[in-house]
Amino acid sequence: MSDRSSGVNPASSEYPSGKQAFAAGTSMGAAVIMVTVGIIQFFQGIAAVAEDEVFVSGIEYVYKFDLTTWGWIHIILGVLVAIVGLALFTGAGWARVSAIVVAAISILANFLWLPYYPGWSLLIIALDIVVIWAVSTWNPEPNITDANLRGTGTPTR
């Protein structure tokens, strides 16, 4: 018999705290965000490689690269972000660590991309921060929480 038929909220029975249920839902949202951002970064990279006149270059910037170079960086990063976002749907430990690392790299790349597309860069930086928070606070083992650990370090069941 499922939790739904017995009238118990599945999220509350699977995750003992509301914070963990929120983090689990946000982690799945983070996976969707990563796939979407990866696809858009891929197309942004294609636009930079194909037609340099798409982006306006403002003042001189210390971290200045040719737009074609930035285009290839965004193509590679976009593919990587999308693949890790798809892997994050599994909830595997390696996918979670990879998501944090790739989101941090995306933050750095978009910080350096600020003079070319500031609005988009700030949006992606904010979304990457949400991804890092969601993935790092999610405990995929719902039976092991800080509240039910005994002094011996073994979880109570």
Side-chain angles (χ1 to χ4, degrees):
M1 190 161 164
S2 73
D3 287 340
R4 286 191 189 268
S5 61
S6 64
V8 176
N9 182 359
S12 66
S13 64
E14 185 177 357
Y15 297 102
S17 74
K19 186 177 180 183
Q20 279 301 306
F22 181 73
T26 308
S27 291
M28 291 300 110
V32 171
I33 289 171
M34 286 188 78
V35 171
T36 305
V37 165
I39 291 168
I40 293 173
Q41 276 190 331
F42 176 78
F43 287 124
Q44 181 180 8
I46 289 175
V49 168
E51 192 65 42
D52 285 346
E53 289 83 30
V54 172
F55 300 102
V56 176
S57 182
I59 59 173
E60 291 296 317
Y61 194 57
V62 175
Y63 309 109
K64 185 173 182 168
F65 286 134
D66 178 42
L67 281 177
T68 303
T69 304
W70 275 117
W72 282 108
I73 290 170
H74 279 281
I75 288 172
I76 293 167
L77 188 60
V79 169
L80 188 62
V81 168
I83 289 171
V84 171
L86 289 172
L88 191 58
F89 281 112
T90 66
W94 68 268
R96 294 173 58 216
V97 171
S98 298
I100 292 170
V101 169
V102 168
I105 292 169
S106 177
I107 287 173
L108 291 174
N110 281 288
F111 172 75
L112 298 175
W113 181 249
L114 272 170
Y116 300 101
Y117 212 161
W120 175 253
S121 294
L122 291 174
L123 174 67
I124 297 303
I125 289 170
L127 290 174
D128 285 335
I129 290 169
V130 170
V131 167
I132 290 172
W133 173 84
V135 172
S136 63
T137 58
W138 177 37
N139 179 9
E141 300 290 332
N143 294 330
I144 300 174
T145 63
D146 292 336
N148 68 5
L149 290 176
R150 287 185 266 157
T152 60
T154 57
T156 58
R157 301 270 182 211

